[in-house]
Amino acid sequence: RLAVELVGRGVGPESVVAVVLPRTADLVAALLGVLKAGGAYLPVDPAHAGTRLHHILHGARPHLILTDTETRTVLPPTDTPVLLLPTDGTPADGTPTNGTPTNGTPVHPTARPEHLAYVVYTSGSTGLPKGVGITHQGLTSALQALAEQAGLAPGRRMLTSTSIGFDVATFEVFATLTTGATLEIVRDVLVLAERESWDVDIISTVPSAFAELVDRIGDRVRPKSLVFAGEALTPALVEKIRSRWPEARVVNGYGPSETFYATAHRLHPEQPYTTGVPIGRPLPGLRAYILSPGLTPLPAGTV
């Protein structure tokens, strides 16, 4: 129903739709609706309102903003059209939607591999946040390998805890859905310490956040896989995890926002990692280059 509404509002290949929604199932439906309409979604965490949100909307200039009544209050003044997410199958204009446009033609995805799938903004740790466009091909080329590394499969449950404004959330959502697994959408990874027990199989998070939790949740969760990205994974955290969950697989992923994921390394259960944890080799279908500070490719073996 949402895809139909978006197509009717001119969304198609290379159209960017800003998605500003709280962490509920509607957020996932919104991302899928934008993709089915052929557009590219721009995920914005409502918690990152203010200056960052103004900068993102001004820089990306989305075709429209998809939000809900409550979240709309955090939006800065903008000339961009706003579409309120329907909660009952009725679009904002009050016209019931039956799943097809008014001409009776079903909506089929029209985007090609080279078209944008999403636009994500960097953290801004080295200056102003920068918008990065990722194509369908760039996303799907890494997704299957990442899902296999993480052990995703039908019936498995993925804790979906990363802010939607970062590309780790893209992995959490789409690697899960494309393998028939289940999303467990939570506020953030710290909620693991707020419940007596959790029925989750795969936890994807940032090492520093998880390091604070290990001692508190050792008896509350029994993860089959732990997938880390966003920061260096330390040998100390690896050893702590092994002492708590010796049977769990541990995956160290790497990739800047500009590339989605580039590598992933599944740690060997008996190998000591005393000097550092590898980020692995390029994922299948990807190629990595080591560059100098001037962005010149370096010869093999150069540190």
Side-chain angles (χ1 to χ4, degrees), residues 20-287:
V20 192
L21 289 166
R23 299 181 63 78
T24 69
D26 283 344
L27 171 60
V28 179
L31 304 182
L32 294 171
V34 173
L35 291 176
K36 185 163 187 177
Y41 66 84
L42 168 66
V44 180
D45 190 331
H48 298 161
T51 303
R52 178 180 171 88
L53 182 53
H54 174 80
H55 174 75
I56 289 174
L57 295 179
H58 178 76
R61 299 196 177 278
H63 183 79
L64 60 81
I65 299 171
L66 182 60
T67 185
D68 59 22
T69 303
E70 182 175 350
T71 311
R72 185 177 189 175
T73 60
V74 308
L75 296 179
T78 176
D79 295 332
T80 304
V82 175
L83 173 63
L84 299 181
L85 186 73
T87 56
D88 60 355
T90 302
D93 62 4
T95 304
T97 302
N98 60 7
T100 59
T102 53
N103 63 5
T105 304
V107 170
H108 297 295
T110 54
R112 296 180 56 82
E114 65 271 18
H115 288 145
L116 287 178
Y118 68 89
V119 176
V120 67
Y121 270 70
T122 60
S123 64
S125 58
T126 58
L128 285 174
K130 298 173 287 293
V132 175
I134 299 296
T135 64
H136 285 269
Q137 185 175 15
L139 171 59
T140 58
S141 61
L143 208 56
Q144 181 178 353
L146 287 170
E148 292 173 355
Q149 287 272 36
L152 281 159
R156 295 282 173 90
R157 299 180 70 85
M158 162 78 86
L159 189 78
T160 310
S161 61
T162 305
S163 167
I164 194 63
F166 296 100
D167 56 354
V168 173
T170 303
F171 154 68
E172 292 175 353
V173 171
F174 291 105
T176 301
L177 295 181
T178 55
T179 53
T182 301
L183 295 169
E184 176 81 22
I185 304 172
V186 297
R187 182 193 73 237
D188 55 49
V189 73
L190 300 180
V191 302
L192 287 173
E194 300 172 8
R195 191 190 294 178
E196 289 302 315
S197 64
W198 287 86
D199 180 22
V200 293
D201 301 299
I202 296 138
I203 298 172
S204 163
T205 185
V206 175
S208 59
F210 195 72
E212 301 178 14
L213 291 171
V214 176
D215 294 333
R216 300 162 60 190
I217 66 172
D219 298 327
R220 304 186 188 197
V221 296
R222 290 287 182 269
K224 292 180 172 64
S225 301
L226 295 159
V227 183
F228 295 100
E231 298 170 350
L233 178 59
T234 64
L237 179 55
V238 171
E239 289 308 308
K240 184 176 283 191
I241 289 170
R242 284 173 167 175
S243 67
R244 288 285 184 179
W245 305 289
E247 301 301 320
R249 71 168 69 185
V250 179
V251 177
N252 191 26
Y254 169 80
S257 300
E258 289 83 352
T259 67
F260 187 46
Y261 281 69
T263 71
H265 176 73
R266 181 178 174 183
L267 277 61
H268 191 282
E270 298 179 1
Q271 180 176 339
Y273 294 94
T274 55
T275 59
V277 182
I279 60 172
R281 295 181 178 276
L283 293 164
L286 302 181
R287 184 177 295 168

